[in-house]
Amino acid sequence: MSVNSTSLPFIPFTRPSFNQETIDAVAEVLRSGWVTSGPKLAEFEATLSEYFGGRPVRCFANGTATMKIALQVAGIGEGDEVITTPISWVATSNVILGVGAKPVFVDIDPISRNIDLNEVANAITPNTRAIMPVYLAGLPVNMDQLYALANQYHLRVIEDAAQAFGSKWKNRKIGSFGDLVSFSFQANKNLSTVEGGCLVLNNADEAKVAEKLRLQGLTRQGIDGMDVDMLGGKDNLTDVNAVIGLHQLKQLPSFQARRTALARQYFDAIRTEVKSAGIENLKLELPVENFIDSNWHMFQVVLPLEQLNVDRAQVMAELKDLGIGTGVHYPAITGFTLYQNLGYQTQDTPIAERIGRSIMTLPLFPGMTDEDIGRIAKALVGILKKYAKS
Ligand SMILES: *Cc1c(COP(=O)(O)O)cnc(C)c1O
């Protein structure tokens, strides 16, 4: 079934890769008689802990629950302020509101599209308790600068590393150092358990609190009797999800190599097409060309809308018509009705406002072919040329 104007197969903006071994392992868990949190979860957490250099790791039902529990572990709540970025999935600031704290948005750096760490100090007040950076598309912030700021102002860091599984900083894995580091294993992420997430913690005491928070605040059950000593929720990860994660970890190096190779091809293909179309004057913004630290979760371009007689929605619609899926990650959170009603204004972070309005995610996932990249670059540049203001 094809609804587009081409006979070529549709390329979605992303697609998860689960191999036969993973599918067989899921079937085995389903037949085992124990399907919720159990031995596979314990094995997944132990394997993740080893992956992160021995730091404690606990898993949760999704990345949002993981970040909420990270804030609770850090003791952040009513009256506290948390500094974060307006360009993220809305979960980032929703969880801050959810624990009763106040998100404080600092504008982004237009090159990295991450929070501008040079602006963080200006946003600190006596109520600031934490910084919550986001590594958009898997590109980390300057981690030395981040932790220098945190030390200087005595702030906790809750890293929203949802998109950064496998990313590095100076040859160290994101998550293997730092304060509280939260990952998501949602279907679109580089490593997926369908839905899920994990938190890297500092010590066994924090891990104990995280365990209680994910299961009703339970301290014990069984023949010793039952007790609850704090208010927890129901945010546990099941063995079905955990066994998927164990197999995704084995595939991760090949996923990573493929994503990096495809990203390299994008730069080459887009530049070649721009040159042959003679539209070098258009300020099409490409990602930071970082093949060492980034896990290439996404490949995003920022459209030069002021130089075009077209808006982003129309560009996306025409690409779709050519059999190419795209996404928007993300409009500035401060523009959403909930946040406007709380008094936030998009003009306060003008770079985020512009990029949120003009950013577009091109397809990037391990199952793509080299030909797909060429086809996408040609289609994108063709549309830009058609609508370029003279
Ligand atoms: C995916 C994502 C989350 C939330 O993860 P879920 O597993 O969907 O709850 C949070 N922040 C960012 C930046 C994300 O990309």
Side-chain angles (χ1 to χ4, degrees), residues 219-230:
T219 54
R220 59 191 160 88
Q221 63 180 328
I223 53 171
D224 302 333
M226 186 181 288
D227 196 21
V228 168
D229 70 354
M230 68 196 299

Side-chain angles (χ1 to χ4, degrees), residues 62-64 67 88-89 91-92 134 160 162-163 184 186 189 196 330:
N62 52 65
T64 306
M67 294 194 296
S88 182
W89 174 229
T92 310
V134 174
D160 179 355
Q163 301 184 0
S184 165
Q186 187 266 343
K189 303 302 203 273
Y330 300 92

Side-chain angles (χ1 to χ4, degrees), residues 10-228:
F10 186 80
I11 311 169
F13 87 85
T14 190
R15 186 165 57 208
S17 306
F18 300 117
N19 61 15
Q20 189 59 45
E21 217 180 277
T22 311
I23 295 166
D24 294 344
V26 167
E28 200 180 308
V29 171
L30 292 177
R31 288 192 200 98
S32 73
W34 189 269
V35 292
T36 188
S37 308
K40 292 296 176 193
L41 174 65
E43 188 185 341
F44 187 37
E45 288 181 336
T47 308
L48 286 168
S49 177
E50 200 177 309
Y51 178 86
F52 290 119
R55 301 187 72 201
V57 178
R58 293 296 180 274
C59 291
F60 304 91
N62 52 65
T64 306
T66 305
M67 294 194 296
K68 175 195 70 181
I69 287 173
L71 288 166
Q72 291 174 318
V73 166
I76 288 160
E78 214 68 48
D80 296 332
E81 294 178 5
V82 179
I83 293 174
T84 191
T85 169
I87 298 292
S88 182
W89 174 229
V90 68
T92 310
S93 51
N94 276 355
V95 294
I96 298 171
L97 290 174
V99 298
K102 179 184 167 191
V104 173
F105 295 103
V106 163
D107 211 352
I108 60 167
D109 172 274
I111 307 297
S112 71
R113 304 157 187 168
N114 285 328
I115 189 168
D116 185 347
L117 291 177
N118 296 322
E119 296 297 325
V120 165
N122 298 327
I124 292 172
T125 77
N127 295 325
T128 308
R129 293 283 316 282
I131 313 175
M132 198 159 179
V134 174
Y135 312 142
L136 192 71
L139 182 73
V141 297
N142 180 322
M143 302 299 286
D144 298 334
Q145 193 181 358
L146 172 66
Y147 279 98
L149 271 167
N151 282 335
Q152 185 180 349
Y153 295 98
H154 308 287
L155 303 175
R156 294 298 300 261
V157 178
I158 291 107
E159 298 181 34
D160 179 355
Q163 301 184 0
F165 199 97
S167 297
K168 287 178 183 163
W169 174 255
K170 295 189 173 166
N171 224 16
R172 297 165 81 193
K173 289 182 195 112
I174 294 299
S176 69
F177 62 98
D179 193 352
L180 295 167
V181 189
S182 172
F183 294 92
S184 165
F185 302 139
Q186 187 266 343
N188 293 344
K189 303 302 203 273
N190 287 28
L191 184 145
S192 171
T193 61
V194 179
E195 297 284 357
C198 81
L199 182 63
V200 188
L201 307 112
N202 295 292
N203 53 55
D205 288 344
E206 283 185 351
K208 196 85 218 154
V209 174
E211 276 176 29
K212 288 197 283 185
L213 287 167
R214 76 179 169 188
L215 195 63
Q216 314 292 0
L218 208 63
T219 54
R220 59 191 160 88
Q221 63 180 328
I223 53 171
D224 302 333
M226 186 181 288
D227 196 21
V228 168

Side-chain angles (χ1 to χ4, degrees), residues 229-245:
D229 70 354
M230 68 196 299
L231 180 62
K234 180 69 166 75
D235 295 312
N236 57 303
L237 189 78
T238 77
D239 269 19
V240 176
N241 304 104
V243 82
I244 297 173

